[in-house]
Amino acid sequence: MRPGVGVVASSMANALLTSARVRNPPRGFERRTSASSTGRDGGAPDTNRTEVASWTPTDASPTSQQHPPLRCYYSDWATVTLPDNHRFPMDKYRATRLVLEGDASLFGRVTMVRSPTARLEDVLSVHCAEYVTRVSTCTLSEKEERAIGFPMRNQEQVTRSFASTGGTIAAMHDVLIGVDDIRDDDDDATNASVPLINSKKPFRLKVACQIAGGTHHAFHDSGEGFCVFNDIACAATVCLGTYGHLPHFSQSETPILVIDLDVHQGNGTAKIFENNSKVVTFSMHGAGNYPWKTKMRSDYDVDLPDDTGDETYLAHLNKWLPYLFSTYHPKLVFYQAGVDALAEDTFGRLAMTRTGMLKRNHLVYDKCVEHDTPLVVTMGGGYSKPFGKSVAAHADVFRSAAYRFGGAPVGVKRK
C-alpha cells in the first residue's frame, strides 16, 4: 500500500479525492468521481501576438553558478514524410526547436542535443518482443497501423520512434547522474547514452527536456493515438533498473511521479504501471476526449468537462500538486507537457489560454524546486490549425524551464 493511502486525515485530501477518479486499494481510495468545471473562463489568447508569454514564478530563478545550461534533446533529425493532408502536425517538432534556437533570450541557457536512438533492451523493458519486432520490421497489421494513426511501413517511422524514446531516456540519465557522468554518445545516434554510475556525486543537472516524446498512449503490446513506444514508461523502467539500488531510490516506496497534463488521458502509462507501486501516475485531462474505448485507471485521474478554462484548470492543479508531492515525496518527476488544452486546439475541447498554460508549467516547476526533485520534461499533444499556436505553447514549456533552471545567457550551445 502506498504511503498516505491508508489514512486520509486532512480535509484537503478528502476534498481532492471527491474531485477525481482514483484507483481501487491498494493504489487508491474511492472510485470514479469526475472533477467539474464552471465552463469557459478567461478569453482566448490574441492570435496575432507573437511575443513571449510571461509569468512570474513563485521562486527566484537559479543562478548560473547553480545550474549548467538546460539540455534539450531533439528528435526531428529523424525525418518522417507523412501523406498529404495527414492530420498529425509532424513539422511541429522542428518548428519548436527552431523557435527556441532563434530566441536570443535563451542563448547560453539551453544546449540542444541530438536525441540518441533508444537501445533495444530499453524498449523491451516495457514493450513485448513480438510487438517491437513487428514495428522494427515494418510488419504491423493494417489494424495496428490504424490504431497508431501513422503509416508504419517505412524505416523512417521506426527510426523516429526509437529516437523519440531515446531522448527521454537520455534526459532521465542526465538529471540523475549529471552531464559530467554521461558517456558522450550524442554525435552517434545509434544508442542512448549509457551512464557511468557514481552514487557519491550529488545531482547537478536538475532538469532535462525532450522536444518530442510524451507518447503516453502506447501499451505493452500495442500503440495507438500517434504513439508507437511509451517513452516515459521506458525511461521510468530503465531508471528503476539502473538506479533503483541506490539509497536515493531504494529508500522510497514511491520514487517516481508521472504528471501527465496532456488533454488526453495517459492510458498506456496508466496500464503499464498499474501493478508497479514504484511509479505514481497522475493524469488531468478532458473528460469527453479521446481515448474513449481504451481509457484506463491512473493512480489519480482528474476529468475536466468541455470548455474548462484557466481559472478552474489551475485551481484543480494547484490543489493536486501539493498533495502528490507531500504524500509520495518523489525522487524523480516526469512531466508530460502536452499543450492540447489550448482553446485553439482542434482535438482538445478545453479552453485554456497561452498564459494559462504557462502558469500551468510553472506550478509544476515550483513544486520541483520546492522539493528539490529532478525533472524530465517531454512534449505531448498540440493540434491547432495552423500549428503556430501549438508551437508557441510548446516553446513556452521549454523556454520557461530554461529561465528557471538554465545557466546565464552567455552564448549559443549546440551538440
Side-chain angles (χ1 to χ4, degrees):
M1 183 174 292
R2 293 193 186 282
V5 169
V7 179
V8 187
S10 70
S11 58
M12 174 185 169
N14 282 311
L16 290 174
L17 294 170
T18 62
S19 68
R21 295 184 292 112
V22 187
R23 256 191 210 146
N24 283 337
R27 303 205 73 190
F29 301 79
E30 299 300 325
R31 191 170 173 109
R32 199 175 185 92
T33 303
S34 294
S36 62
S37 169
T38 57
R40 183 181 292 263
D41 39 50
D46 184 348
T47 56
N48 295 316
R49 299 181 66 156
T50 58
E51 70 269 18
V52 175
S54 62
W55 162 248
T56 302
T58 302
D59 303 277
S61 298
T63 66
S64 60
Q65 285 73 30
Q66 294 171 314
H67 290 276
L70 179 73
R71 285 168 73 90
C72 289
Y73 290 86
Y74 63 94
S75 302
D76 60 86
W77 63 265
T79 58
V80 173
T81 303
L82 295 176
D84 292 342
N85 300 317
H86 194 280
R87 58 182 179 168
F88 188 82
M90 188 67 73
D91 290 339
K92 74 172 185 175
Y93 300 104
R94 179 175 181 272
T96 300
R97 173 174 61 82
L98 292 178
V99 166
L100 296 172
E101 289 183 340
D103 186 341
S105 71
L106 298 179
F107 289 1
R109 295 186 184 273
V110 172
T111 297
M112 291 290 176
V113 186
R114 175 182 165 119
S115 291
T117 52
R119 298 186 301 174
L120 180 60
E121 55 264 41
D122 291 346
V123 175
L124 291 173
S125 70
V126 167
H127 297 285
C128 72
E130 292 81 4
Y131 172 63
V132 175
T133 297
R134 291 197 301 276
V135 170
S136 301
T137 58
C138 302
T139 56
L140 289 172
S141 68
E142 291 184 3
K143 181 179 179 180
E144 289 175 311
E145 281 192 348
R146 285 196 301 272
I148 291 173
F150 291 136
M152 296 295 297
R153 301 301 175 102
N154 61 78
Q155 198 61 38
E156 283 185 343
Q157 193 62 259
V158 176
T159 303
R160 175 189 176 272
S161 299
F162 276 90
S164 181
T165 303
T168 303
I169 295 172
M172 175 274 296
H173 285 311
D174 280 355
V175 301
L176 294 183
I177 291 296
V179 292
D180 292 339
D181 294 315
I182 296 293
R183 290 195 180 99
D184 192 0
D185 292 331
D186 299 319
D187 294 329
D188 177 13
T190 57
N191 288 295
S193 298
V194 181
L196 294 171
I197 303 294
N198 182 353
S199 61
K200 295 182 180 179
K201 184 168 184 176
F203 302 147
R204 294 187 56 217
L205 191 69
K206 287 296 184 182
V207 181
C209 303
Q210 163 70 315
I211 310 177
T215 47
H216 57 173
H217 298 311
F219 291 84
H220 167 68
D221 58 356
S222 64
E224 66 175 49
F226 307 133
C227 301
V228 181
F229 300 138
N230 194 313
D231 64 306
I232 290 177
C234 289
T237 302
V238 171
C239 169
L240 292 174
T242 305
Y243 308 106
H245 67 287
L246 301 179
H248 184 75
F249 283 95
S250 63
Q251 294 174 5
S252 172
E253 294 184 23
T254 55
I256 296 177
L257 171 63
V258 178
I259 299 173
D260 191 328
L261 298 185
D262 195 276
V263 82
H264 306 101
Q265 191 218 30
N267 56 339
T269 310
K271 182 65 176 177
I272 287 168
F273 292 119
E274 67 177 349
N275 295 315
N276 189 335
S277 64
K278 294 287 187 180
V279 181
V280 179
T281 53
F282 171 82
S283 180
M284 193 164 86
H285 48 263
N289 224 319
Y290 175 92
W292 300 285
K293 296 181 180 180
T294 59
K295 192 167 286 187
M296 300 293 160
R297 295 196 182 278
S298 308
D299 289 313
Y300 300 94
D301 286 300
V302 179
D303 299 323
L304 301 173
D306 289 0
D307 293 326
T308 295
D310 293 354
E311 183 177 352
T312 300
Y313 185 104
L314 295 172
H316 280 297
L317 187 60
N318 207 26
K319 292 177 181 178
W320 271 104
L321 290 177
Y323 172 76
L324 292 168
F325 276 81
S326 63
T327 300
Y328 298 112
H329 307 287
K331 307 303 180 184
L332 173 65
V333 169
F334 288 95
Y335 173 31
Q336 205 276 20
V339 299
D340 38 9
L342 279 173
E344 293 89 352
D345 198 271
T346 57
F347 295 166
R349 303 178 68 162
L350 298 190
M352 294 283 286
T353 68
R354 181 181 174 189
T355 298
M357 299 292 285
L358 186 60
K359 291 181 179 181
R360 174 202 74 166
N361 301 333
H362 278 296
L363 287 177
V364 176
Y365 300 157
D366 284 346
K367 281 300 165 188
C368 290
V369 169
E370 178 184 342
H371 292 266
D372 197 28
T373 307
L375 170 67
V376 173
V377 183
T378 73
M379 282 179 73
Y383 309 97
S384 66
K385 289 186 178 181
F387 67 39
K389 299 297 181 184
S390 294
V391 167
H394 280 309
D396 285 344
V397 170
F398 305 107
R399 181 187 293 110
S400 56
Y403 288 165
R404 297 296 296 276
F405 306 106
V410 293
V412 179
K413 291 188 177 182
R414 182 167 177 176
K415 297 187 75 173

